[in-house]
Amino acid sequence: MFENKQKAAQPEFWVATEQLPKSPKSTFYAKLDETLESFGFAGKVRQICAPAYKQPGTGRPGIDPVVYLKMMLVGFFEDLPSERAIAARCADSMSIRAFLNYELNETTPDHSSFTVIRQRLGLDLYERIFTLSLQALREHGLLRGKNLGITRVVLVKTDHSLLL
């Protein structure tokens, strides 16, 4: 009926990346990435965030703001409770790694880096990115309604989580 799979006495020590199993792309994240690319999200976000990355004495090289925002989208869409959970999910999922444009041999950003980038970007840049996102959603027919209202977002840090 069923056969118990036995573990190898000595597991493989080295496995070439081309021998690793391939995961099918997530249809949702593939479509989201396609939508983001269609309105030039990456280029526009990098342009908005460029001044924040030119500040001297801000420590180690920053995470690409596009990767950071995509990771935040993963957290939102998967209802993840903390930045630590977001970082773990992004590191573990091959389809999300593809969405973030990370290869299997690359380390995804750690949750501890989120605080640094959040402070680096500041409220004004978040507001500009939010406005850009709403405009893009509207242009693509993904935002419906007669009125568009934007309120100032307040970020509050509590025990490694981000409340909006």
Side-chain angles (χ1 to χ4, degrees), residues 46-68:
R46 288 185 184 114
Q47 183 179 6
I48 289 171
C49 295
Y53 282 81
K54 291 181 182 174
Q55 297 173 1
T58 54
R60 64 180 181 234
I63 300 168
D64 179 351
V66 174
V67 170
Y68 169 72

Side-chain angles (χ1 to χ4, degrees), residues 71-119:
M71 290 177 81
M72 292 294 103
L73 287 172
V74 168
F76 173 77
F77 288 122
E78 299 200 9
D79 196 25
L80 299 173
S82 66
E83 292 171 342
R84 186 179 299 269
I86 294 168
R89 176 74 174 121
C90 291
D92 289 347
S93 171
M94 291 196 296
S95 62
I96 293 175
R97 283 175 159 277
F99 173 61
L100 299 174
N101 294 319
Y102 271 77
E103 297 295 329
L104 288 175
N105 60 347
E106 292 181 286
T107 303
T108 56
D110 186 67
H111 72 91
S112 62
S113 300
F114 289 12
T115 302
V116 174
I117 194 169
R118 190 173 49 252
Q119 291 169 346

Side-chain angles (χ1 to χ4, degrees), residues 137-150:
L137 291 170
R138 183 179 222 171
E139 288 172 14
H140 281 77
L142 299 172
L143 184 66
R144 294 188 183 104
K146 294 180 182 177
N147 301 312
L148 178 63
I150 300 174

